[in-house]
Amino acid sequence: MKRRLVLTVAAALLAGCGFQLRQAPDFVFDSIAINAPAGSPLAGELRRSLAADGRVRVLPAGTDMAKARVVLDVPTELREKVVVGLNASGQVREFQLRTRVHFRLRTGQGKELIPDTELLQQRDISFNEAAVLAKEAEEALLYRDMQTDLVQQLMRRLAAIRSL
């Protein structure tokens, strides 16, 4: 009996703490055009994420931008690899991987909703000449992870728009 009471109290405390699983974002627009360089992997993942719940219609590339409620311009998406550590003999021991994305959001008529903004993700990776292929695979995985993080940040920023 005492054990049941303790479990009930613990469940009530957890329910009352405000914990809630992350839900799909709610957008104020029903259609979006993504103006990004052709073949951009970030734009492709963003299109899939926006279209996943079915509430937002992502217009295909090349569509007239005036037909969309909002237009997301992604003029630049850069991947950088910078040496940050060398050993005593001058060989590379550590790199820093960076992904930069510039974007802005506007309505189809040209009203600016989010001014030109830069998002930056960076990760450190050690380097070992004996495991070059493994490090290349790790680098690709880190770039993919940074891209996913940037898409999630973009989704949260798009969801933060409250009026057109």
Side-chain angles (χ1 to χ4, degrees):
M1 181 73 162
K2 197 174 194 180
R3 180 184 249 175
R4 182 176 278 168
L5 178 65
V6 169
L7 287 174
T8 304
V9 169
L13 286 174
L14 276 177
C17 76
F19 175 77
Q20 184 177 4
L21 293 175
R22 186 182 305 165
Q23 297 178 358
D26 190 27
F27 302 107
V28 296
F29 51 88
D30 59 353
S31 65
I32 186 171
I34 299 175
N35 186 16
S40 167
L42 183 120
E45 186 174 342
L46 184 60
R47 282 185 179 96
R48 285 189 300 277
S49 294
L50 285 167
D53 66 356
R55 291 184 284 178
V56 176
R57 186 170 48 101
V58 181
L59 300 177
T63 305
D64 183 22
M65 299 297 171
K67 293 180 180 178
R69 295 274 298 187
V70 294
V71 177
L72 179 69
D73 293 313
V74 185
T76 58
E77 175 186 343
L78 299 172
R79 288 184 172 185
E80 302 170 333
K81 185 176 181 179
V82 180
V83 175
V84 293
L86 302 171
N87 65 10
S89 62
Q91 295 174 325
V92 175
R93 286 292 163 219
E94 190 173 2
F95 288 107
Q96 186 174 65
L97 306 176
R98 298 179 189 154
T99 302
R100 294 178 192 271
V101 174
H102 285 269
F103 74 96
R104 74 182 189 116
L105 185 71
R106 59 186 169 88
T107 62
Q109 292 73 37
K111 177 184 171 190
E112 191 171 81
L113 300 172
I114 299 177
D116 189 30
T117 306
E118 178 186 71
L119 296 178
L120 171 68
Q121 285 283 315
Q122 56 189 21
R123 303 282 193 277
D124 292 331
I125 182 173
S126 62
F127 182 73
N128 184 354
E129 291 178 7
V132 173
L133 291 177
K135 288 299 176 179
E136 285 179 5
E138 182 182 1
E139 181 180 327
L141 183 67
L142 287 173
Y143 274 127
R144 198 168 34 250
D145 183 47
M146 288 188 287
Q147 175 181 303
T148 301
D149 286 350
L150 288 169
V151 167
Q152 292 304 313
Q153 285 184 35
L154 279 167
M155 294 281 285
R156 285 192 294 274
R157 288 180 187 231
L158 293 175
I161 301 296
R162 291 290 149 222
S163 66
L164 299 178

